[in-house]
Amino acid sequence: ELSRPKALLDLFAGEKAIKYITSLPVYQKQASSPKFKEFLGVVSYLEATLGTDWRTGLAKLTGGGVTFAICPEDTVILIVEAQDEQMLNQLHEVFLNFAKAEADKQGRPDRVASKQYQDVTAWTFDGKEAHTIIGNRLVMANRPEGLKAVLERRAEAGGASLASKLTYQTAKSKIGSSAVATVFADLKLLVQIPEVSELLEQQRKNPLASLAFAGIVESVRDSNWLALGLDIQDSTLILRSLVDGKTVAQTSPAAFALPKEAGDGALPNLSVPRRIAALTLYRDLHEFYAAKDELFPDRTSGLIFFENMMGIFFSGRDLTNEVLAETRPDLRFVVAEQQFDPAIGTPQIKLPAFAAVLRLRHPEQFKEVAEEAWQKAVGLINFTRGQNAQPGLIIDRPIHGETRFTVAYFSTAQIEDKTKLDTRFNIRPALAMPEEYLILSSTDGLARDLIDSLNHEKERTVKPLAETHSLVEIEGGRLASILEANRGVLIRGDMVKKGGTQEQAEAGIDMLITVVKLIERVELSIGVHEGLTQARLEMKLNIDEMRLTNDK
């Protein structure tokens, strides 16, 4: 339900937004195409016919609100409430004439037809959809049976409605009345759809998915309803999500994701230079893996392979009680753009660096165990590459601050042209263990930045985010930067994948980069409050990007 369309129109169709969009090379390229010119001609015709500009007309035609419903039997309903009833009827008359002209052109005049139903006239413009105008409301359905059901329900005196359902009333009250738009879903119906049911069941078969989405899938599966509410604050979109499921079995993945003590929760995300994304999870790896037989009675080949490899790396130590028991329920991940040293070389495809950070219970006892396992992993890689006559990794032990860490790298000493190195030179795997933390990084540069970040965090005495078990942050500007750095590679990949022309691929990739640039920052947090699973998504739009472009 879009209750305040004007708020979205002001944000996405305001003067600044339109000036920015029309100044983009992607838009200007499309504007010169015959089809786009034809579209603009139709818009101009409608403006002249309705006696208004398109922005004002759209506001008047949708100002009362928009409702979109997905119903059983593959039925979709759309209700648009206009502020200007006369304009709505004018617009319908225009499209009716368009439809008749097109049907006559195709020799199918029967495709446009009307039918009287009680006190209203129902229309179809293509023989498939059906719609009618009731006062200032346009009511549309993707099939005639859907519109008929709506009109029959309207004719019932005191008949049941969605608004009278207790689940709907509860969900709406939890979201609040300030939302610009809301979504309500009957989850008991939704999970009966085979595709949705299969998607939810996949978590039971995939340990990594169970760990990553613990507490989320179970809440959806065990809830009666889902509610979403969208608010707008300045240039920030805030989306809140709620489900009413509260039951958590002791052996479900959620039992190892939900904070057990008051004040417990995920730690704030780590901040490093050139950060693209960060993820923090509150997950008890020890208890989760200890319950693997109950969670995954049919162990997959992937899980068996993982256990065997861990047995090799950790010299036969028990993975549950001697390895994972050493970790605290604080898992943090970081992705950052790399800075390449010209003396070492620059890869042709520039991949971001990524790292995982774990907090240890007994760091002094576990450090050598982790170091041995890491070096065994590097040795296995070198052994495999050596069998294929490929160069291996060289291990070094530099010091950063007060932390000595281990890094492995491919040498570029014998390579003359260091400007277009192979993709493998994006990787310089590193292991660092500053105080109680263990850092596994794809590059030594990111490992150094994380050592600094953790030291700075210690000085500030960072506290957990109470009741929050998952936190994600994405920096749009940095993501756009990495896309621009690989623009040529992305264009070639798009051409191969889709079989299109270079011009088409360039337009698609440039549009993607443009959209990403408009998103300054995204933050998603998921947790439990007052027994309800809640998610909060904040998306801050880069309005300064619009202002900058307009000023230029």
Side-chain angles (χ1 to χ4, degrees):
E1 295 172 274
L2 180 55
S3 56
R4 290 194 283 133
K6 189 176 184 301
L8 288 177
L9 286 173
D10 289 344
L11 184 62
F12 292 109
E15 289 186 10
K16 290 178 181 177
I18 296 303
K19 285 181 180 178
Y20 172 72
I21 292 170
T22 54
S23 68
L24 294 173
V26 173
Y27 176 89
Q28 293 171 359
K29 186 179 293 185
Q30 289 295 321
S32 62
S33 67
K35 287 187 177 180
F36 197 82
K37 288 181 178 179
E38 183 180 345
F39 167 74
L40 292 179
V42 171
V43 173
S44 298
Y45 173 78
L46 291 175
E47 288 178 327
T49 303
L50 300 178
T52 185
D53 64 275
W54 70 266
R55 191 185 293 105
T56 303
L58 192 58
K60 288 184 177 181
L61 289 168
T62 62
V66 179
T67 301
F68 179 76
I70 300 174
C71 311
E73 300 179 1
D74 297 325
T75 298
V76 176
I77 306 295
L78 176 67
I79 303 173
V80 182
E81 187 170 344
Q83 288 180 330
D84 190 327
E85 183 178 336
Q86 182 179 355
M87 183 178 290
L88 176 63
N89 281 285
Q90 278 183 284
L91 184 64
H92 183 265
E93 190 67 25
V94 170
F95 280 112
L96 175 61
N97 292 331
F98 280 167
K100 286 181 176 179
E102 184 65 23
D104 290 341
K105 183 179 178 181
Q106 296 178 359
R108 294 285 306 279
D110 56 313
R111 293 183 61 181
V112 180
S114 65
K115 183 178 181 180
Q116 195 69 20
Y117 187 89
Q118 295 181 1
D119 60 333
V120 299
T121 302
W123 288 88
T124 180
F125 286 172
D126 61 2
K128 298 176 182 178
E129 61 81 30
H131 66 272
T132 187
I133 294 179
I134 306 173
N136 66 332
R137 288 177 176 165
L138 170 66
V139 183
M140 299 182 66
N142 65 325
R143 49 199 294 266
E145 294 83 358
L147 181 62
K148 182 181 179 183
V150 171
L151 297 177
E152 288 176 347
R153 180 58 57 90
R154 172 177 175 265
E156 293 178 4
S161 67
L162 177 64
S164 65
K165 292 186 66 172
L166 180 60
T167 52
Y168 176 81
Q169 294 173 0
T170 304
K172 290 283 283 188
S173 66
K174 294 292 183 181
I175 287 296
S177 58
S178 65
V180 171
T182 59
V183 174
F184 169 81
D186 187 326
L187 292 179
K188 293 302 182 185
L189 286 176
L190 194 64
V191 297
Q192 293 177 21
I193 299 174
E195 293 82 1
V196 176
S197 178
E198 175 61 25
L199 183 64
L200 296 176
E201 283 300 313
Q202 286 180 5
Q203 187 202 32
R204 301 182 191 272
K205 306 172 185 177
N206 188 322
L208 283 179
S210 295
L211 189 63
F213 300 105
I216 303 171
V217 173
E218 294 94 334
S219 296
V220 172
R221 187 188 295 121
D222 299 333
S223 295
N224 297 300
W225 51 262
L226 164 72
L228 301 173
L230 176 67
D231 288 301
I232 299 177
Q233 295 180 5
D234 296 325
S235 59
T236 302
L237 303 179
I238 301 174
L239 183 67
R240 293 179 59 237
S241 171
L242 291 169
V243 292
D244 68 330
K246 298 182 180 181
T247 304
V248 177
Q250 290 301 309
T251 55
S252 78
F256 315 113
L258 304 181
K260 298 176 177 58
E261 303 292 336
D264 277 355
L267 292 171
N269 278 319
L270 289 166
S271 179
V272 297
R274 304 173 302 281
R275 190 182 76 173
I276 297 173
L279 164 66
T280 294
L281 301 174
Y282 183 95
R283 301 289 189 273
D284 193 323
L285 296 179
H286 173 232
E287 290 191 13
F288 177 81
Y289 202 76
K292 65 181 181 301
D293 292 333
E294 290 79 18
L295 293 171
F296 314 106
D298 300 324
R299 291 199 300 170
T300 63
S301 58
L303 186 58
I304 295 171
F305 175 77
F306 171 76
E307 291 173 344
N308 291 337
M309 292 303 296
M310 291 301 102
I312 295 172
F313 296 148
F314 289 99
S315 302
R317 289 179 175 85
D318 183 79
L319 183 59
T320 304
N321 297 315
E322 295 183 281
V323 178
L324 295 179
E326 292 294 327
T327 64
R328 295 181 182 273
D330 303 307
L331 307 178
R332 295 197 272 186
F333 305 87
V334 177
V335 181
E337 188 177 9
Q338 293 196 59
Q339 276 190 334
F340 297 97
D341 184 350
I344 296 175
T346 304
Q348 184 174 6
I349 300 176
K350 302 174 183 65
L351 301 179
F354 52 90
V357 180
L358 290 78
R359 194 153 67 109
L360 304 176
R361 296 185 184 276
H362 308 101
E364 293 304 323
Q365 300 174 20
F366 194 69
K367 281 184 177 181
E368 288 191 353
V369 175
E371 182 73 42
E372 179 188 353
W374 187 88
Q375 292 200 23
K376 282 182 179 178
V378 174
L380 180 60
I381 293 171
N382 281 343
F383 179 77
T384 303
R385 290 183 64 84
Q387 286 184 317
N388 296 316
Q390 295 175 327
L393 292 159
I394 301 170
I395 295 179
D396 193 11
R397 292 272 292 165
I399 297 177
H400 183 72
E402 299 179 357
T403 301
R404 182 179 290 277
F405 66 98
T406 310
V407 59
Y409 62 92
F410 293 106
S411 175
T412 62
Q414 305 301 318
I415 301 176
E416 292 185 6
D417 184 2
K418 294 181 173 60
T419 60
K420 294 182 180 181
L421 296 177
D422 185 74
T423 305
R424 74 175 187 274
F425 290 98
N426 281 281
I427 305 297
R428 293 170 61 93
L431 172 71
M433 289 176 280
E435 298 196 12
E436 61 180 341
Y437 290 97
L438 184 150
I439 301 170
L440 285 169
S441 175
S442 69
T443 70
D444 55 330
L446 181 54
R448 295 172 194 270
D449 290 337
L450 286 169
I451 292 171
D452 293 338
S453 180
L454 290 167
N455 288 335
H456 181 62
E457 182 180 88
K458 182 182 177 182
E459 295 172 358
R460 293 185 294 126
T461 314
V462 173
K463 295 182 179 180
L465 304 173
E467 301 182 317
T468 298
H469 61 70
S470 304
L471 179 65
V472 183
E473 292 176 274
I474 301 174
E475 310 292 342
R478 285 294 171 188
L479 181 56
S481 178
I482 200 71
L483 292 175
E484 286 182 319
N486 293 283
R487 180 178 178 272
V489 176
L490 293 172
I491 289 171
R492 288 192 293 272
D494 189 76
M495 290 172 63
V496 172
K497 182 179 179 180
K498 298 180 180 178
T501 65
Q502 180 173 340
E503 185 178 4
Q504 291 172 329
E506 287 177 346
I509 298 301
D510 288 342
M511 177 61 73
L512 172 63
I513 294 173
T514 299
V515 171
V516 173
K517 279 184 175 180
L518 283 179
I519 301 173
E520 181 176 321
R521 190 165 177 270
V522 176
E523 179 176 332
L524 170 65
S525 60
I526 306 173
V528 177
H529 181 65
E530 296 180 352
L532 298 181
T533 295
Q534 300 192 20
R536 179 184 175 91
L537 175 67
E538 289 193 19
M539 181 184 295
K540 182 174 177 55
L541 301 180
N542 196 355
I543 300 300
D544 289 338
E545 176 75 17
M546 291 185 186
R547 293 195 185 109
L548 180 63
T549 305
N550 292 338
D551 291 342
K552 287 179 180 179

